[in-house]
Amino acid sequence: KTSMEKNISDIVVDKERIVQFFYSVIDGLSHYLERGDNIEFTAHQNDVVKITITVSRKLPEEVIPYFYDSQHIYHSQENGRLKFYLARRIAELHHWKLEARNEGESFVISLSISKSALEKRDAILTATTEMFINLVSEALGLDVCSVMLADELTGELKIKGSKGLSDDVVLKTRVKIGDQIAGWVALEGKPLFIEDLNKDPRFGKKSISQYNTRSLLSLPLKLDDKVIGVLNLNNKRSAQPFTAHDYYISLALSDRFSYFIKKVYEGAGTGTDFKQFLTSFENLLSAEKRYSKKGVLAPILVSRILDKLSSTEEEKKTALYVSIIYDLGLMSIDEDIMTKGKLASAEMRSIKVHPYTTIDLLSGFEFSDDVKKAILHHHERYDGTGYPGNLAGEEIPFISRVIAVVDAFCALIEDRPYHAAITKRQALAEIKAGSGSKYDPKVVNALELIFPELPE
């Protein structure tokens, strides 16, 4: 049973976390309920938004401490009590007040969510930092990563969100500006890419005892020129060291998260602009999880082609970021269409609008016109017969021309509904045949030059 007042304020949360909170509570309660018992949910608002869960049965008194004190978790393996502990941790992450008690013949759980400006801002940062951590870990294949933000009073860096770190590490970690790796990045305001920490005289081997690789990335998060945090990336699932294209992708992602934080600090936590921003952030994360056409080859090809073309650092950063998101719009197309060998004209039209869909997914999140243009025009042809703009030659954005060659090459060497995979050498020959008509001859030539270096 549910009862909810009208016009309750929006609550900014990580949707996955809030679902997990209620799932944990209900799953935990299920271990103590019997057939015929009821659970009632109510919500009302005054100075706070208050959600109450009332169960038509008292729970054992020894269960209640699991909503308050983490030390009890080590004394029980009972699944219901573990679920209550997980719910409490989610409430703590969002700075919600959680209470549980037996009241008469009922058991009551109360969740209070403050609406004050500072607490709302903190809730926004907490929720979206968790989302950003999920995005980065999906994009780069990470087991360990964290975002640290500077305490506004002490200036110390504290972990705001993480993956692969224990609660104890998260709670106890405090880094002064200038100390350790994160403090150095915060002080210098420069990204740090270390391929082998054992060989770096600034930090030393002891700094990575808990990691499975000697390689790491640490990048500043900035409000204009002021560093307000650090993004730390460690432990790729593959146990391989970070690469140059990991570095450029992480730079692009950290730029976008810094942009997001700036919006929050400027007061964008209210109004439709922020809601659109948050929705775009969620769309990007959802798309990244559901759609993974790129594999590992596309970023490798993009990186090496750009090296051959003597591209700038900014072009590399933008192009490698684009290489992992440019076709996210395909996730919205019906799978039946995507697996057909031959498409009707209406179905082909739905395919052709996917660059616009990708941009729409990112509309509140992506600030770079260069990124948007690169995505929009990656299906243009060099002779002007492509879509959506019938652009030709140098009119087509440079990064779009690179992505067009890489996208076509990757498609040719994979099994698709409309063709069987061919060898890399055959794919190269087909790409060369389209040089000057479909593809930029300079990009095709660069692909040919790097071809001997490609992994088997």
Side-chain angles (χ1 to χ4, degrees):
K1 181 181 176 181
T2 60
S3 175
M4 185 173 294
E5 290 181 355
K6 293 182 179 180
N7 302 319
I8 289 180
S9 298
D10 290 335
I11 302 170
V12 181
V13 296
D14 180 339
K15 288 183 178 179
E16 289 186 8
R17 291 280 186 174
I18 194 66
V19 169
Q20 187 182 9
F21 172 84
F22 283 105
Y23 173 81
S24 296
V25 169
I26 293 169
D27 192 14
L29 291 172
S30 70
H31 291 269
Y32 303 97
L33 302 185
E34 297 180 5
R35 185 178 296 277
D37 288 338
N38 297 314
I39 303 176
E40 181 178 359
F41 295 83
T42 62
H44 67 276
Q45 174 179 311
N46 40 52
D47 293 333
V48 299
V49 175
K50 189 168 186 177
I51 299 169
T52 304
I53 303 169
T54 305
V55 182
S56 60
R57 170 184 295 277
K58 293 174 67 175
L59 265 62
E61 288 292 333
E62 62 267 21
V63 169
I64 296 175
Y66 288 82
F67 287 92
Y68 296 99
D69 190 348
S70 61
Q71 69 178 350
H72 289 276
I73 202 66
Y74 302 111
H75 305 301
S76 173
Q77 292 302 312
E78 186 180 322
N79 193 47
R81 302 182 189 191
L82 290 171
K83 294 296 183 179
F84 293 149
Y85 166 75
L86 291 174
R88 184 181 71 79
R89 288 293 298 127
I90 293 168
E92 286 179 345
L93 282 170
H94 289 86
H95 301 281
W96 301 333
K97 183 180 180 181
L98 181 66
E99 297 179 329
R101 62 192 180 279
N102 282 317
E103 192 172 280
E105 295 304 312
S106 302
F107 180 71
V108 179
I109 300 171
S110 298
L111 187 67
S112 300
I113 303 171
S114 172
K115 298 182 295 178
S116 75
L118 286 176
E119 289 186 319
K120 184 172 183 180
R121 187 187 75 179
D122 198 60
I124 290 168
L125 287 175
T126 297
T128 49
T129 298
E130 292 291 326
M131 294 165 61
F132 178 67
I133 288 292
N134 288 335
L135 173 62
V136 171
S137 62
E138 287 288 328
L140 298 180
L142 304 177
D143 280 333
V144 178
C145 54
S146 66
V147 166
M148 307 182 78
L149 295 182
D151 185 279
E152 292 184 71
L153 294 176
T154 67
E156 289 182 324
L157 295 169
K158 300 179 181 179
I159 297 175
K160 188 69 175 177
S162 67
K163 178 177 181 178
L165 298 178
S166 69
D167 289 347
D168 190 53
V169 168
V170 171
L171 291 172
K172 290 183 179 179
T173 298
R174 300 286 186 275
V175 177
K176 294 180 179 179
I177 302 300
D179 288 353
Q180 305 180 42
I181 292 171
W184 184 93
V185 171
L187 178 65
E188 297 293 329
K190 300 175 183 177
L192 186 66
F193 176 17
I194 297 179
E195 296 180 77
D196 188 341
L197 194 50
N198 284 352
K199 298 178 180 178
D200 193 304
R202 293 170 294 181
F203 306 110
K205 183 177 180 179
K206 63 180 181 180
S207 300
I208 58 162
S209 58
Q210 68 270 45
Y211 302 136
N212 64 11
T213 173
R214 295 187 296 272
S215 161
L216 62 85
L217 290 166
S218 189
L219 306 101
L221 301 170
K222 295 183 177 182
L223 289 180
D224 299 318
D225 293 327
K226 180 184 177 183
V227 176
I228 50 89
V230 176
L231 170 64
N232 300 303
L233 308 179
N234 314 88
N235 278 30
K236 294 180 72 171
R237 294 182 199 123
S238 64
Q240 296 298 310
F242 287 100
T243 64
H245 72 257
D246 292 329
Y247 172 66
Y248 287 117
I249 289 170
S250 62
L251 276 177
L253 291 174
S254 65
D255 283 349
R256 278 138 189 89
F257 190 55
S258 293
Y259 175 74
F260 170 80
I261 293 174
K262 181 179 179 181
K263 289 290 186 182
V264 173
Y265 275 78
E266 288 176 347
T270 58
T272 56
D273 286 347
F274 174 76
K275 292 174 185 176
Q276 182 185 22
F277 197 102
L278 189 61
T279 298
S280 295
F281 204 94
E282 292 170 343
N283 286 338
L284 183 58
L285 175 58
S286 175
E288 179 63 30
K289 287 182 175 180
R290 291 172 53 190
Y291 184 80
S292 184
K293 169 184 173 179
K294 59 188 179 296
V296 296
L297 185 58
I300 291 173
L301 288 173
V302 168
S303 180
R304 294 183 182 179
I305 286 172
L306 292 176
D307 284 341
K308 289 296 180 185
L309 294 173
S310 301
S311 301
T312 66
E313 295 291 292
E314 190 62 30
E315 285 172 334
K316 290 177 183 178
K317 181 172 72 172
T318 301
L320 281 161
Y321 171 59
V322 170
S323 76
I324 67 171
I325 62 169
Y326 68 94
D327 262 350
L328 293 181
L330 290 176
M331 65 170 278
S332 65
I333 298 174
D334 193 299
E335 286 189 16
D336 290 340
I337 294 177
M338 296 299 296
T339 56
K340 277 188 177 182
K342 187 174 182 180
L343 300 178
S345 58
E347 293 169 332
M348 181 57 71
R349 283 196 296 273
S350 71
I351 293 284
K352 286 187 174 182
V353 300
H354 80 266
Y356 290 102
T357 307
T358 301
I359 292 172
D360 189 54
L361 280 172
L362 307 172
S363 60
F365 180 79
E366 185 51 59
F367 59 83
S368 169
D369 287 339
D370 288 340
V371 167
K372 294 175 185 177
K373 289 175 183 177
I375 292 169
L376 184 61
H377 296 293
H378 74 273
H379 281 293
E380 304 286 0
R381 290 172 49 124
Y382 200 70
D383 62 7
T385 61
Y387 66 88
N390 299 118
L391 303 183
E394 300 290 322
E395 293 177 334
I396 305 169
F398 168 64
I399 292 171
S400 301
R401 285 177 266 146
V402 173
I403 294 294
V405 169
V406 169
D407 185 55
F409 184 85
C410 291
L412 288 168
I413 63 175
E414 298 171 358
D415 284 319
R416 296 289 174 91
Y418 46 89
H419 72 71
I422 61 178
T423 67
K424 287 186 174 78
R425 189 160 297 280
Q426 289 171 324
L428 176 63
E430 189 159 330
I431 296 292
K432 288 173 65 177
S435 180
S437 55
K438 294 182 179 179
Y439 313 116
D440 181 344
K442 295 190 298 294
V443 179
V444 174
N445 183 58
L447 174 64
E448 187 173 15
L449 290 173
I450 67 165
F451 186 79
E453 309 167 10
L454 295 186
E456 293 297 327

